[in-house]
Amino acid sequence: RSPQLRTASWLSRPVEVFLVSPKMTKLEIKEYLCKLYNLPVTKVHTANYLGKRKTDQMRGTRFKMPDFKKAFVYLRDEQGTQRPRYHEVEAQLTDEAQAAWPARPNRV
């Protein structure tokens, strides 16, 4: 299928969304994008979708749209190949960040 490329701007990591064949695996998607488009792919998440059932208004017949799969492709960013998922939480757990927190009441 032709890839429908859209950037997920709500994530801090660069993510591209492709519509692919339901038979493709994550490894095949990664190899395909790396070899053909020379993209720096670090991780691939997929989601399978069933095609909608529709009714032809003129003939009154029912038919089903084809099934498809969405591939969410995580690209390498300026911080490296794989940033920790909870990097903001980990930054708050450092000694410097904990020392900056106010003292807890009723704690000894």
Side-chain angles (χ1 to χ4, degrees):
R1 295 184 187 197
S2 60
Q4 295 183 1
L5 190 62
R6 288 177 282 144
T7 303
S9 61
W10 52 272
L11 289 171
S12 57
R13 290 179 63 186
V15 177
E16 304 296 338
V17 181
F18 293 93
L19 291 179
V20 297
S21 170
K23 296 180 181 179
M24 290 183 77
T25 64
K26 292 179 183 182
L27 184 61
E28 290 173 347
I29 295 168
K30 182 176 180 178
E31 289 178 357
Y32 177 80
L33 293 174
C34 286
K35 289 183 182 177
L36 239 56
Y37 297 108
N38 199 16
L39 291 176
V41 177
T42 60
K43 185 183 271 191
V44 177
H45 288 166
T46 58
N48 290 312
Y49 293 92
L50 296 175
K52 292 183 177 180
R53 297 185 183 276
K54 295 191 173 190
T55 305
D56 186 2
Q57 297 295 328
M58 297 295 285
R59 299 183 198 148
T61 59
R62 298 186 74 199
F63 63 95
K64 182 179 172 281
M65 300 297 287
D67 299 340
F68 62 96
K69 179 185 273 191
K70 277 188 183 179
F72 299 91
V73 179
Y74 293 81
L75 303 176
R76 185 177 297 120
D77 60 352
E78 65 277 352
Q79 293 188 4
T81 58
Q82 190 75 29
R83 191 170 17 170
R85 177 176 276 173
Y86 303 106
H87 62 282
E88 294 176 359
V89 174
E90 290 173 351
Q92 292 177 359
L93 295 177
T94 60
D95 293 334
E96 298 86 22
Q98 288 184 354
W101 288 358
R104 298 180 189 170
N106 302 330
R107 299 284 175 144
V108 178

